[in-house]
């Protein structure tokens, strides 16, 4: 049996955990290829125009898995932390996919809502495991191994300063290299830039027009939310906004607040056009940057028709400005 996992939305956070669980259940995992224009066009054609870009991309990935697997795994994640909620798009993802991609392989679902208590969570995991085995011990072992894999993945990213795609490559045994390493050290004025935003925007190279790669080649060392520990993110959110309400507040507001307090040279907030939570969260980081005035901030909004040339021009202007600013600071210190 083959389980398909779309390389979109929650993939970047949970892939090692999901893979470990399904392999513990004795099934093979296949992941959709990286995003292409055709995938985005196919996903986009299934929904109304004002649906956010990441959901269109997700649907394109599901379509690409047709005939590649027996089931496709689409969790409905409402909440992973008490009284902190995911965007509504995540809750209805399995139902929406069934409605708009009727040719999709049968969908394996799990409802994750920590507000319902851990007992309900365990029941949901067991129900998912029942698709493969009646043995509860086997489900328990697979879920414990999956949790260990998730913790190891998180630890690898924070301790080795890696992005999720880099960590996934290492876990999969494909590479041991950190692709940032050969560029920033050679730059005339090495700079550090923090990117804050959803992982499905920061690491999908098609929709962000190879953002990390471009910045790295321009001599910037890149820092992202996954490189910060959960505790640090939590306290950074508390210092910027008080209590978090959205699941992604830590990755956006927390990471922004943390990097603004560090000696970062610049910060880029990456958001999806038309995303309500993003506009509030990125605005909070922007206001904090304006208040602290210790690092320039740029907002990059991605949408289906974002022109690559426009992004390149803005990135060049931003990195040039950061380099000039840094050079002036260095001269002032001499
Ligand atoms: S948080 Fe925003 S970008 Fe993400 S799925 Fe929801 S609406 Fe779309």
């Amino acid at each position: 049996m083959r389980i398909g996992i779309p390389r979109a939305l929650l993939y970047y956070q949970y892939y090692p955990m999901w893979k470990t669980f399904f392999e513990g259940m004795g099934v093979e995992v296949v992941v959709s290829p990286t995003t292409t224009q055709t995938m985005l066009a196919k996903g986009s054609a299934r929904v109304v125009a004002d649906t956010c870009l990441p959901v269109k991309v997700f649907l394109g990935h599901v379509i690409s898995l047709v005939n590649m697997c027996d089931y496709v795994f689409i969790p409905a994640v409402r909440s992973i932390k008490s009284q902190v909620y995911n965007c509504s798009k995540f809750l209805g993802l399995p139902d929406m996919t069934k409605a708009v991609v009727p040719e999709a392989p049968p969908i394996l679902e799990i409802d994750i809502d920590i507000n319902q208590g851990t007992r309900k969570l365990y029941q949901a995991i067991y129900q998912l495991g029942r698709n493969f085995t009646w043995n509860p011990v086997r489900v328990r072992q697979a879920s414990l191994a999956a949790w260990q894999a998730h913790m190891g993945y998180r630890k690898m990213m924070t301790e080795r300063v890696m992005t999720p795609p880099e960590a996934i490559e290492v876990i999969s045994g494909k590479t041991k290299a950190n692709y940032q390493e050969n560029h920033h050290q050679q730059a005339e004025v090495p700079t550090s830039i923090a990117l804050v935003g959803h992982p499905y925007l920061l690491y999908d190279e098609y929709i962000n027009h190879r953002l990390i790669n471009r910045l790295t080649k321009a001599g910037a060392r890149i820092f992202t939310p996954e490189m910060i520990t959960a505790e640090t993110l939590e306290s950074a959110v508390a210092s910027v906004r008080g209590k978090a309400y959205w699941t992604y507040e830590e990755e956006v507001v927390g990471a922004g607040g943390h990097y603004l307090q560090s000696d970062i040279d610049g910060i880029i907030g990456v958001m999806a056009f038309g995303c309500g939570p993003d506009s509030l969260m990125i605005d909070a980081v922007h206001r904090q940057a304006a208040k602290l005035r210790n690092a320039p901030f740029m907002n990059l909004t991605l949408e289906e028709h974002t022109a690559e040339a426009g992004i390149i021009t803005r990135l060049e202007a931003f990195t040039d400005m950061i380099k000039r600013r840094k050079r002036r600071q260095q001269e002032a210190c001499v």
Side-chain angles (χ1 to χ4, degrees), residues 9 52-55 87-90 198 200-201 248 272 274-278 281:
L9 293 180
C52 71
L53 174 63
V55 168
C87 148
S88 60
K89 302 277 177 18
F90 287 92
H198 304 291
Y200 44 84
L201 294 176
Y248 279 108
C275 169
D278 271 8
M281 293 187 290

Side-chain angles (χ1 to χ4, degrees), residues 13 147 217 233 243:
Q13 278 162 286
W147 184 246
K217 284 197 169 140
L233 286 173
K243 186 172 168 5

Side-chain angles (χ1 to χ4, degrees), residues 46-218:
R46 303 296 176 104
V47 284
V48 293
D50 61 1
T51 305
C52 71
L53 174 63
V55 168
K56 290 175 180 170
V57 169
F58 178 84
L59 294 171
H61 279 264
V62 173
I63 295 167
S64 79
L65 285 166
V66 173
N67 298 327
M68 278 180 65
C69 55
D70 304 296
Y71 292 91
V72 61
F73 179 56
I74 306 182
V77 182
R78 180 182 295 269
S79 174
I80 51 166
K81 201 171 195 180
S82 176
Q83 308 297 314
V84 179
Y85 299 95
N86 233 335
C87 148
S88 60
K89 302 277 177 18
F90 287 92
L91 319 186
L93 214 48
D95 291 336
M96 184 183 64
T97 308
K98 274 181 221 160
V100 302
V101 190
E103 75 274 33
I107 293 174
L108 277 181
E109 299 178 35
I110 178 170
D111 279 342
I112 304 285
D113 183 1
I114 206 71
N115 294 300
Q116 304 278 327
T118 44
R119 189 182 161 84
K120 280 261 188 219
L121 178 66
Y122 295 150
Q123 283 173 346
I125 295 169
Y126 181 59
Q127 285 300 324
L128 179 65
R130 280 266 298 270
N131 288 287
F132 314 101
T133 177
W134 285 91
N135 184 348
V137 177
R138 192 155 167 222
V139 178
R140 184 178 148 76
Q141 283 171 344
S143 48
L144 287 175
W147 184 246
Q148 289 298 325
H150 180 64
M151 297 311 283
Y153 175 56
R154 291 277 312 156
K155 197 167 171 216
M156 180 183 288
M157 291 188 287
T158 53
E159 289 187 353
R160 294 172 65 179
V161 198
M162 282 180 158
T163 62
E166 287 172 331
I168 288 172
E169 286 215 340
V170 172
I171 289 167
S172 317
K174 289 187 185 150
T175 177
K176 290 187 173 61
N178 176 332
Y179 67 72
Q180 295 200 42
E181 259 162 20
N182 296 325
H183 297 291
H184 73 280
Q185 289 163 352
Q186 296 163 3
E188 182 201 346
V189 184
T191 53
S192 55
I193 295 181
L195 302 178
V196 298
H198 304 291
Y200 44 84
L201 294 176
L202 300 186
Y203 308 115
D204 187 320
E205 294 197 327
Y206 178 76
I207 62 174
N208 67 27
H209 299 280
R210 295 187 292 120
L211 176 62
I212 294 181
N213 196 283
R214 285 183 197 287
L215 290 169
T216 306
K217 284 197 169 140

